[in-house]
Amino acid sequence: MSRTAVFPLRDYNLAATLNSGQAFRWREENGAWENIVAGRWVRLRVNDKTLHAQVAKPQKDWQWLTDYLQLEVNLKKILADFPEDDPHLAAAKKTCRGLRLLKQDPWETLAGFICSSNKQIVQIQQIIGELCDRYGEPAHAGWKTFPTAVRLAATTEADLRDCRMGYRAKYLHASASMIASNEVDLTAIATLDYLDAQTELKRLPGIGPKVADCILLFAYGFPEAFPIDTWVLKALRQLYFPRRRPTPRQLHTFIREHFAPYHGYAQQYLFHHVRTHDGLLSGNQKT
DNA sequence: CCCCAGGTCCCGC
DNA sequence: GCGGGACATGGG
């Protein structure tokens, strides 16, 4: 039983991973990263290819943390399966070294990404922070847990709107209610195949194809999920279809074939690459 | 006052 | 199916 633990790290860029728009609550303090994971406050620090973890209460096992961080995943193997003849992914591999996918709590991920639509990442973090401050349970040193679906279902749409989430308040409240009442079973979704799981998630208000894919990728770990947001769409069009705009059908066929078998990792590498190297893409072609 | 943000929903064709 | 606009709020 210990309040600290040490893990060897290989091919793991913690800062890039925690800051890549898949999780919204990590805060950096003096080079250490703090958050609530699996209901526990945790502080992470990297020195010399070693991860040092600290928690508030002694732990007998740390599986909750190794799962969340996906420490046992062999990144090198995944990157080796990226398509050979793709100069854009090759560039992304270089600029995103050590970038990982996390395995987060489904409900927290779902709620976070409902709030993400048409918002910038900084503002999503702000909304989620407000939500936790108001409706989470005290955890440690001022930190609150992420509020449960039952708790949010017990609020009102106006309460949620006060967290500055605008029209998303209606979606979040309705989705929380459907989950709290077991009309949608988040545990069962893990047992479905990718397309059925996506269909099930899209029954919840505020969840379309993009948000569903974020949940399927960042929480459930479906490797074939490929969230298409404004950045990725722009990147796909300019890098892979420079001549003519692909129809949605063409785009999905291309994605399914070209980025197999680790569509989601490829997506995250493209996303992080273009987002941290603005200027690679030019012009806005939203419509 | 303009445009845009890790989109979704709803409408008319 | 697909094209367009509305939607809250904040930042540039």
Side-chain angles (χ1 to χ4, degrees):
Chain A
M1 299 279 277
S2 173
R3 291 177 56 242
T4 62
V6 180
F7 306 91
L9 281 184
R10 284 199 3 236
D11 310 314
Y12 207 117
N13 187 333
L14 188 71
T17 300
L18 301 185
N19 218 359
S20 61
Q22 49 181 321
F24 300 118
R25 286 194 80 191
W26 286 98
R27 291 214 307 250
E28 189 175 15
E29 300 271 346
N30 308 321
W33 294 86
E34 296 182 31
N35 195 0
I36 303 290
V37 174
R40 306 159 174 89
W41 172 85
V42 62
R43 172 186 284 153
L44 304 176
R45 186 185 300 276
V46 178
N47 340 321
D48 199 24
K49 297 182 179 174
T50 306
L51 175 70
H52 297 258
Q54 174 191 350
V55 292
K57 297 172 188 167
Q59 305 290 311
K60 54 186 173 198
D61 95 84
W62 296 78
Q63 194 62 39
W64 55 275
L65 184 60
T66 55
D67 278 350
Y68 178 95
L69 294 172
Q70 296 282 278
L71 292 177
E72 74 283 6
V73 165
N74 186 337
L75 182 64
K76 201 165 287 179
K77 253 180 163 171
I78 291 173
L79 298 186
D81 276 345
F82 275 17
E84 285 285 343
D85 54 342
D86 186 329
H88 314 301
L89 276 182
K93 276 200 254 189
K94 289 190 177 176
T95 61
C96 307
R97 226 171 260 293
L99 178 63
R100 300 289 192 126
L101 291 176
L102 301 168
K103 192 174 177 70
Q104 302 177 71
D105 175 69
W107 158 246
E108 177 170 348
T109 309
L110 184 157
F113 277 95
I114 281 181
C115 298
S116 78
S117 75
N118 221 16
K119 275 288 181 200
Q120 293 185 107
I121 289 178
V122 203
Q123 294 175 333
I124 304 165
Q125 293 167 335
Q126 216 169 15
I127 292 168
I128 297 304
E130 192 74 35
L131 194 64
C132 293
D133 280 346
R134 290 189 188 221
Y135 301 110
E137 298 294 329
H140 172 74
W143 280 84
K144 300 280 191 72
T145 62
F146 194 91
T148 63
V150 171
R151 180 69 190 90
L152 292 193
T155 65
T156 67
E157 183 188 326
D159 290 335
L160 297 183
R161 198 173 279 257
D162 286 342
C163 298
R164 295 187 268 180
M165 64 180 74
Y167 63 87
R168 301 158 196 81
K170 179 182 296 193
Y171 298 148
L172 183 57
H173 189 259
S175 286
S177 302
M178 289 175 69
I179 290 161
S181 68
N182 282 322
E183 189 175 337
V184 167
D185 180 354
L186 293 187
T187 305
I189 286 179
T191 68
L192 303 177
D193 65 33
Y194 166 60
L195 287 178
D196 287 343
Q198 199 199 45
T199 302
E200 186 65 9
L201 281 176
K202 286 194 292 189
R203 291 179 52 212
L204 294 164
I207 300 188
K210 189 272 176 183
V211 168
D213 269 356
C214 285
I215 301 163
L216 292 172
L217 187 60
F218 302 142
Y220 290 99
F222 282 92
E224 60 270 67
F226 191 99
I228 304 176
D229 73 312
T230 51
W231 287 93
V232 170
L233 180 60
K234 202 159 72 164
L236 288 173
R237 283 177 175 168
Q238 294 193 21
L239 301 178
Y240 299 96
F241 297 87
R243 301 249 141 230
R244 65 178 179 11
R245 171 166 308 189
T247 65
R249 180 95 181 86
Q250 291 175 309
L251 200 56
H252 282 102
T253 302
F254 172 76
I255 290 168
R256 189 174 60 248
E257 293 172 352
H258 183 73
F259 295 112
Y262 297 111
H263 310 77
Y265 265 95
Q267 182 277 161
Q268 191 67 3
Y269 271 67
L270 279 179
F271 175 75
H272 197 259
H273 182 53
V274 298
R275 202 169 72 89
T276 53
H277 296 77
D278 207 3
L280 284 175
L281 304 177
S282 55
N284 272 318
Q285 319 178 7
K286 184 160 187 174
T287 54

